[in-house]
Amino acid sequence: MSTASEARDARHRQRQDEIIAAGRRCFRQSGFHAASMAQLASEAQLSVGQIYRYFVNKDAIIEEMVKRIIDTRLQHIKETATVELPRLLAWRYALDEDDEALMKEVAAEATRNPVVARMMAEADSRMFTQACQNVKRDHPEMSDEQTHACVEVMAVLSEGTAWRRQMPQKASSEHLYPLYQQINALLFKTEDS
């Protein structure tokens, strides 16, 4: 690849990054449904036509944003042991508060936009697959069915916690932690234990 071609590709990626950053700000302010391409263009300091050179429509911007958020989460999942779950839940840790808020916007948009609903399903599938791989890594004795059931419960706990972050916590983390430890122990108990 020539230096000119590499420079052009780098500029293209930089422009996409700028549009995604502007999109994140607009979507957080107005929501996906209400944010217009004109608003996004203004935020990115580009014309609407320039944005269409990089993304075919607003759904493509959302898709790239979701992909980036999920890629970050997948990397975190790969690096986190299942024994960390009780601590993460009890103290309501968020990997990135802004990403959490944007994914809530994606979930809302998915209720009215089948393209975004498909994106959510694909993102969920990627996350579920990686979480299953982690459980198998940490608990190779578990059956596939048991692994899937545990990951489903972990997803409900994690996603529920993400939604609960919007409300003041009603119980102390110190009291929740042992309860989550008990749930974790129950989840990862082998069928013959």
Side-chain angles (χ1 to χ4, degrees):
M1 185 182 275
S2 72
T3 305
S5 178
E6 289 172 353
R8 191 172 45 254
D9 288 349
R11 179 68 182 141
H12 185 84
R13 281 189 303 277
Q14 179 185 355
R15 194 59 102 181
Q16 282 183 321
D17 291 347
E18 292 167 357
I19 293 167
I20 293 293
R24 288 175 65 98
R25 290 187 298 272
C26 289
F27 299 148
R28 284 282 282 131
Q29 179 182 2
S30 303
F32 291 122
H33 196 65
S36 68
M37 288 300 280
Q39 179 186 5
L40 203 152
S42 175
E43 182 70 27
Q45 298 179 344
L46 299 169
S47 70
V48 172
Q50 286 175 301
I51 290 177
Y52 285 126
R53 288 186 200 157
Y54 300 94
F55 295 98
V56 296
N57 55 29
K58 187 165 59 168
D59 288 345
I61 297 169
I62 295 168
E63 186 168 23
E64 179 62 21
M65 187 195 68
V66 168
K67 179 191 173 302
R68 291 176 184 201
I69 290 170
I70 297 304
D71 287 348
T72 300
R73 288 180 174 186
L74 288 172
Q75 188 59 42
H76 178 73
I77 288 172
K78 286 179 188 178
E79 297 166 354
T80 305
T82 54
V83 296
E84 293 295 315
L85 186 63
R87 184 177 60 81
L88 298 173
L89 296 173
W91 277 271
R92 292 184 171 186
Y93 288 121
L95 188 58
D96 183 303
E97 294 287 343
D98 195 49
D99 285 354
E100 294 255 341
L102 286 164
M103 289 306 289
K104 289 174 186 152
E105 288 291 338
V106 173
E109 183 66 14
T111 65
R112 57 188 162 259
N113 182 333
V115 174
V116 176
R118 178 192 48 78
M119 290 177 210
M120 284 291 290
E122 289 172 5
D124 180 71
S125 178
R126 290 178 65 205
M127 296 283 289
F128 192 87
T129 298
Q130 183 59 57
C132 286
Q133 289 173 0
N134 270 33
V135 170
K136 280 297 205 182
R137 176 197 69 207
D138 295 347
H139 304 279
E141 73 284 355
M142 291 177 66
S143 70
D144 288 345
E145 188 57 39
Q146 189 180 13
T147 297
H148 291 164
C150 288
V151 170
E152 187 65 33
V153 171
M154 289 168 44
V156 168
L157 290 171
S158 297
E159 291 168 15
T161 298
W163 285 96
R164 293 292 300 162
R165 279 188 196 100
Q166 294 177 245
M167 302 296 143
Q169 191 158 313
K170 309 293 190 284
S172 73
S173 298
E174 290 77 15
H175 283 96
L176 290 170
Y177 182 64
L179 294 174
Y180 284 127
Q181 284 180 307
Q182 290 173 10
I183 292 168
N184 205 52
L186 179 63
L187 281 175
F188 298 109
K189 180 180 175 185
T190 59
E191 292 170 351
D192 52 329
S193 297

